[in-house]
Amino acid sequence: MPKIYGNRLVNAHNMVHAAYEGKYAIGHFNINNLEWTKAVLETAQKTNTPVIIATSEGAIKYMGGANVVVGMVNGLLEDLNITVPVALHLDHGQSVEVAKKCIEAGYSSVMFDGSHFSFEENYAKTKEVVEFAKQYGVSVEAEIGTIGGEEDGVVGKGELGDPKEAKKMVDLGIDFLAAGIGNIHGPYPANWEGLAFEQLEKIEDAINFPMVMHGGSGVPQAQVEKAISLGISKINVNTELQLSFQKATRAYIETGADQDMVKKGFDPRKLLKPGYDAIVSEMTNLITWFGVKGKADEIKK
């Protein structure tokens, strides 16, 4: 069966594996609306950087459905003439049905997060997703252990990934693996103990395979760089961009600019512009940290 995602989208396999070999990490940036998507894509193009744009199930519902997301992304890729490698990824797909629906809508990459099931059930469901996705040329991310914090109402306890389970998942034919390594979703609390590097090393020794760090927002740069050196090849960011957007938007409103009737500061295009600029600035900083900035030409499409 041929690929059904847009001509400009790619699956994420080649970019993540190139990052693994090159000891850098692909930035995965969750999108929430048109401005968010446009900011991420234009920044990637301007900096010649491969990128993964992603939606949670909640974001898909907010934006109107998987078909809306795919149509918006493909339209922007075409009209903005985005030529760097871009993958459209389902983040934390909670069911096989949702993963299949996104694939059929035109996503080029999906995550099936079965970490809330027993390992046996997680394995069986992941296998079903892999077999379906490969018919469409879609890359698949799986998860073992759990990521701490909350994501779309699902609260993870932060259980560390098991190396033996990791090896079994990799042998299914997935493209990259997420595992609990002390990371959490959302803002990191003051008493956070840091990433579990020893566990990350044990897992990586067992699989020699690209791994994903969820909860990339707020992890200190030194820890990010060490994680990359140990096999982290994809880093997920959502909260960091949300906070940047929020602070810039609040600053605009606090100046009273939105109440300027002459300059029409209430126009959504003006009201959202500071947040857009903040996303661009923060993303540029992060891809520099990740070592991926300017790497687009190294990726085999």
Side-chain angles (χ1 to χ4, degrees), residues 3-11 74 77-78 82-84 86 106 301:
K3 294 185 293 185
I4 64 171
Y5 45 86
N7 291 333
R8 290 176 183 262
L9 282 172
V10 300
N11 75 33
N74 281 330
L77 291 174
E78 183 71 27
I82 304 298
T83 58
V84 297
V86 176
K301 293 187 179 180

Side-chain angles (χ1 to χ4, degrees), residues 29 216 237 240-241 281-291:
F29 297 98
V237 175
E240 206 145 1
L241 295 190
S281 177
E282 188 61 32
M283 177 180 165
T284 302
N285 289 336
L286 290 169
I287 59 177
T288 303
W289 280 24
F290 299 168

Side-chain angles (χ1 to χ4, degrees), residues 225-237:
E225 292 172 348
K226 183 173 181 179
I228 291 171
S229 74
L230 296 174
I232 292 296
S233 308
K234 172 177 174 283
I235 299 178
N236 292 17
V237 175

Side-chain angles (χ1 to χ4, degrees), residues 246-266:
Q246 174 262 328
K247 289 176 183 177
T249 303
R250 172 175 284 277
Y252 176 83
I253 292 173
E254 286 179 343
T255 66
D258 62 310
Q259 297 178 327
D260 190 326
M261 298 297 111
V262 176
K263 295 182 179 179
K264 296 184 177 181
F266 54 83

Side-chain angles (χ1 to χ4, degrees), residues 12-22 26 174-176 209-210 233:
H13 178 95
N14 287 347
M15 65 173 82
V16 174
H17 282 257
Y20 181 71
E21 294 298 326
I26 301 295
I174 63 172
D175 296 276
F176 27 93
F209 193 75
S233 308

Side-chain angles (χ1 to χ4, degrees), residues 107-179:
Y107 277 63
S108 63
S109 187
V110 296
M111 176 190 187
F112 172 68
D113 179 4
S115 60
H116 50 293
F117 298 117
S118 66
F119 176 73
E120 291 73 20
E121 189 170 359
N122 184 6
Y123 179 90
K125 290 180 182 294
T126 302
K127 182 179 180 181
E128 184 177 350
V129 172
V130 168
E131 290 173 350
F132 186 82
K134 295 309 178 185
Q135 299 176 65
Y136 293 86
V138 168
S139 51
V140 177
E141 174 183 345
E143 182 175 322
I144 60 167
T146 58
I147 312 303
E150 182 268 340
E151 179 85 3
D152 279 349
V154 177
V155 179
K157 298 179 181 179
E159 292 134 347
L160 299 179
D162 178 84
K164 292 181 180 178
E165 292 180 356
K167 183 65 168 62
K168 290 179 180 179
M169 279 294 189
V170 169
D171 288 345
L172 274 180
I174 63 172
D175 296 276
F176 27 93
L177 177 70

